[in-house]
Amino acid sequence: MSDFREPQFDVDTTSFGAADHNAAAATSPAPAAEPRPADAATTAAEPQEFSYPSMFGTAEVFDMQTPEGDPVRALYVDGGFQSLCYTDSRRFEPAFEYCKAFDTIFHINPDAKRILVLGGGAFSWPKHVLATCPDVQLDVVEIDPVIVDIARKHFFLDEATERFGADRLNVTIDDGRRFLANAEPGTYDAIVNDTFAGTAMETPLLAPDALLLAKRALAPGGLYLLNAVAEDDLGFQDHAALHEVYETLAQQFSFVRESVIEDLEFSGAVNHVFFARE
């Protein structure tokens, strides 16, 4: 049995109009430096290891085990963990805690049917939605075709679409901002921004004009989610950068809340998931 903890959400979902949902308060964990693959976990008995050149540096795929022996597969790009998934019967379940936080969408709006995900990675959360939410339609935008190929070859993306409906997942190779500029107004019940360039958060999608495009693409009452990891040169949390993210969102949205989620066992990072809504 894995010791991955359930995410500790400090999002006050009542501010977003969610009914009968109480979020637990979270405390910020101590800063931690990011581990390298060699000391992140015990290697599996027969590990898979692959390396690909991507737009953002070398993309490595390798198998590991949790301390309890649970088999997992990692996508490691340019010095940072991008995705993690189980390789057993739980392969459509999110392994990283921050991915589980995206399910808050369905607590806030149980009727959410159309969701846009910016940044595909190994498609951890989209696969989970396909497996658990049969009425939800997903559009996923990933700028790097190599990453999509990796998800198909090594992270069970094709199996997920075959089992749960290929017509429910639309994958587009494109720049996220350009995709938003061409999106029909009011299309999405939620937009999840999970974009990274290596270990750095993709800031162009936080520019005011990009956020305005996202707001335009959201249906009335739609939810905008952003996963952020900000560290300084010493590997500690960059609180000034995170505060700037909050203020940037607050300039465009009436309600902004933040959930601090630790994924220290593998990624060595502290994720900050921001929830914004008009």
Side-chain angles (χ1 to χ4, degrees), residues 96-204:
F96 275 154
E97 296 294 333
Y98 85 86
C99 286
K100 300 175 186 178
F102 296 159
D103 280 354
T104 302
I105 290 171
F106 304 111
H107 293 294
I108 295 172
N109 179 10
D111 297 322
K113 294 294 186 292
R114 188 78 184 271
I115 297 174
L116 170 64
V117 180
L118 302 172
F123 286 70
S124 297
W125 190 70
K127 289 182 298 184
H128 162 68
V129 174
L130 288 176
T132 58
C133 303
D135 296 329
V136 174
Q137 179 77 31
L138 288 165
D139 289 341
V140 179
V141 180
E142 169 59 53
I143 195 171
D144 190 347
V146 171
I147 297 299
V148 175
D149 287 343
I150 289 172
R152 296 189 185 282
K153 292 177 181 176
H154 302 294
F155 290 91
F156 315 106
L157 177 58
D158 285 344
E159 181 187 356
T161 55
E162 289 171 5
R163 288 183 58 178
F164 307 116
D167 58 335
R168 294 177 49 220
L169 176 67
N170 178 53
V171 180
T172 302
I173 307 297
D174 200 356
D175 171 77
R177 188 191 179 285
R178 182 165 53 234
F179 184 92
L180 287 171
N182 294 322
E184 291 293 327
T187 298
Y188 297 105
D189 297 308
I191 296 174
V192 177
N193 181 353
D194 193 20
T195 55
F196 283 85
T199 58
M201 183 173 53
E202 277 283 77
T203 54

Side-chain angles (χ1 to χ4, degrees), residues 34 36 54 56-60 76-80 82 197-199:
E34 181 180 84
R36 298 301 179 186
S54 77
F56 305 108
T58 301
E60 300 173 73
Y76 194 84
V77 181
D78 192 31
Q82 296 293 295
T199 58

